[in-house]
Amino acid sequence: MTDAIQGVDVIVASPGRNYVTLRITTADGIVGLGDATVNGRELSVASYLRDHIAPLLVGRDPGRIEDIWQYLYRGVYWRRGPITMAAIGGVDMALWDILGKRTGQPVYQLLGGRVRDRITSYRHAFGWDLPALLDQVDERVAEGCTHVRVQTGVPGLTTVYGVSKDPVYEPAGRAPLPAEEGWDSESYLRYFPGVLAAVRDHVGEQVGLLHDSHHRLTSNQAARLAKAVEPSNLFWLEDVTPAEDPEALRLVRQHSTTPLAIGEVFNTIWDCQQLIEQRLIDYIRTAIVHAGGISHCRKIFALAEVHGVLAAPHGPSDVSPVAYAASLHLAAATHNFGIQEYMGYPDLAHEAFPHAWTFENGALQPGDAAGLGVDVDLDLLAAHEYSPAYLPVARRLDGTVTDW
Ligand code: CS2
Ligand code: MG
């Protein structure tokens, strides 16, 4: 076969933060790019790709995207899980990239074409105290953002998820071992609704406000929070309860009309099936990279469409600009798309992955370049080596490990 897969390279590098990048080359010289980054577990997914997947791909027809997906998924007894699914996700987006480049079409065109002119985004605002938070909210609104996620420090705690005392927030700390942070849900529950009400007062009714609880609350605490913030009219409340327990959201649903979002740590359609089919959520947040690529997320979003749930893919800095492009192409062609998170990237990451996608005035565009529209500067990656960086581990005030 003249256009068969010939080379599979896995590059782990750190242009501003750690990324696992996959380069699939065909015999006729087309290069497809994929992202397979699992924050804090980069080397495991790189080994899975290099040692177990690359040998299976060489010689295959890169145009048989669905067949390769099924082969990599069903052909292994030990399936699902973040490492496996990110590896498959990276391969899948690289194959879509190849198909786009071969046909001269942007990937969104291959997915059925655009169903919208622009992709609505939300950005982050945080502040250790209210004045600092309001400053960042104002900055986001001045940038043209229509939707802003708000996170605040909590009295009595010295560290809180999503908040930094510096102007830039990156959750993974560059160190050989993870940092440890303290957490107290009751202090947070007492404090956060008031902060949100103050932000709402400050920005008026027009701005969509979002908030992320990072899987930390019990079902009852989450229901109390969702109810307490109703007057502030949240666009969504994210990850209020642990992701592995879909039933936990039922109580929240029964007690509040605050829209609920979850799913950034889900890896397959089966992780979200119950939540979607039973309409326990309003937004499904699967990341293209962590849930098996474009091919699988497309099925998740189709299931969501049947049940009135909207797609709202995860878009933190640990989803590389390559996977981010995949997310935007899928968003452009998905009718039940809701909103795309845009956390933004360090300058070096933009330089390492020159991209056709754009963020302007609060809106995102996938661009019209063939494939995913992302390139890679291999010299720049080579000059910025991987070094361990980990998300923190959280402990309750009595020292018990809790969800971070
Ligand atoms: C967060 C992420 O963007 C979000 O909603 O929950 O920043 C998350 O903490 C990181 O992606 C973890 O790797
Ligand atoms: Mg989140």
Side-chain angles (χ1 to χ4, degrees):
M1 209 188 309
T2 54
D3 54 1
I5 295 174
Q6 193 174 54
V8 181
D9 300 315
V10 182
I11 306 156
V12 185
S14 193
R17 70 168 338 286
N18 290 324
Y19 293 116
V20 180
T21 306
L22 182 66
R23 267 179 97 246
I24 299 186
T25 316
T26 66
D28 57 345
I30 299 180
V31 177
L33 288 184
D35 166 39
T37 306
V38 177
N39 205 4
R41 293 293 182 270
E42 295 84 0
L43 302 182
S44 325
V45 71
S47 158
Y48 193 95
L49 280 164
R50 274 189 198 125
D51 300 330
H52 303 293
I53 287 193
L56 302 175
L57 293 179
V58 174
R60 280 179 199 277
D61 175 356
R64 293 185 61 174
I65 302 175
E66 180 67 16
D67 183 64
I68 290 178
W69 195 98
Q70 298 293 344
Y71 182 89
L72 296 178
Y73 181 79
R74 286 179 205 284
V76 186
Y77 189 53
W78 311 105
R79 54 209 206 193
R80 306 170 72 171
I83 304 300
T84 303
M85 297 312 290
I88 296 177
V91 171
D92 183 81
M93 67 184 87
L95 297 181
W96 280 100
D97 193 25
I98 290 172
L99 186 62
K101 286 173 178 157
R102 187 177 298 296
T103 57
Q105 307 272 348
V107 167
Y108 71 76
Q109 202 66 50
L110 304 175
L111 298 172
R114 278 181 179 277
V115 291
R116 61 181 48 78
D117 301 328
R118 70 191 72 80
I119 295 163
T120 304
S121 72
Y122 73 89
R123 300 216 66 196
H124 297 183
F126 58 82
W128 193 254
D129 52 29
L130 184 60
L133 173 59
L134 294 181
D135 280 352
Q136 280 211 1
V137 171
D138 288 344
E139 277 172 37
R140 292 312 186 200
V141 172
E143 251 177 26
C145 291
T146 51
H147 296 77
V148 182
R149 184 184 90 163
V150 295
Q151 306 292 136
T152 170
V154 175
L157 299 179
T158 50
T159 45
V160 172
Y161 158 75
V163 186
S164 146
K165 288 166 191 164
D166 304 326
V168 176
Y169 171 69
E170 164 55 57
R174 189 81 66 165
L177 294 175
E180 294 205 2
E181 296 183 343
W183 177 249
D184 181 44
S185 292
E186 290 298 332
S187 304
Y188 160 75
L189 287 172
R190 277 194 298 273
Y191 187 64
F192 176 69
V195 170
L196 182 66
V199 175
R200 174 55 79 207
D201 246 22
H202 180 78
V203 292
E205 289 303 317
Q206 292 305 315
V207 179
L209 297 177
L210 301 82
H211 178 68
D212 188 344
S213 301
H214 232 239
H215 305 119
R216 291 175 178 200
L217 305 177
T218 64
S219 197
N220 180 280
Q221 288 170 333
R224 279 157 52 202
L225 176 64
K227 223 167 132 169
V229 296
E230 269 177 11
S232 299
N233 194 23
L234 269 185
F235 180 87
W236 83 32
L237 187 56
E238 174 184 338
D239 290 349
V240 265
T241 49
E244 43 301 60
D245 183 9
E247 270 306 307
L249 284 179
R250 199 178 301 280
L251 191 78
V252 188
R253 208 53 162 169
Q254 284 162 346
H255 288 277
S256 158
T257 52
T258 296
L260 301 176
I262 203 165
E264 64 185 48
V265 298
F266 291 168
N267 311 123
T268 70
I269 197 165
W270 296 283
D271 297 337
C272 20
Q273 187 175 12
Q274 181 185 348
L275 288 170
I276 292 174
E277 287 179 352
Q278 299 188 11
R279 300 175 190 246
L280 295 176
I281 52 172
D282 301 278
Y283 295 90
I284 181 69
R285 302 251 307 126
T286 43
I288 312 307
V289 43
H290 299 125
I294 292 173
S295 301
H296 195 65
C297 279
R298 205 176 168 203
K299 293 177 189 177
I300 296 176
F301 297 165
L303 178 70
E305 183 178 10
V306 176
H307 298 283
V309 173
L310 298 177
H314 193 205
S317 57
D318 49 288
V319 160
S320 100
V322 178
Y324 202 72
S327 207
L328 298 181
H329 283 271
L330 189 52
T334 298
H335 184 259
N336 61 319
F337 166 83
I339 198 163
Q340 170 68 58
E341 178 179 23
Y342 183 53
M343 182 169 164
Y345 293 100
D347 290 344
L348 264 182
H350 287 293
E351 277 174 51
F353 301 101
H355 49 81
W357 61 259
T358 55
F359 169 77
E360 233 169 276
N361 289 328
L364 292 151
Q365 292 290 356
D368 293 319
L372 293 174
V374 185
D375 217 333
V376 57
D377 182 334
L378 295 174
D379 294 336
L380 198 147
L381 292 191
H384 293 88
E385 276 176 33
Y386 161 84
S387 70
Y390 289 105
L391 295 169
V393 172
R395 288 186 188 273
R396 289 189 207 123
L397 300 182
D398 71 354
T400 318
V401 171
T402 187
D403 306 65
W404 178 74

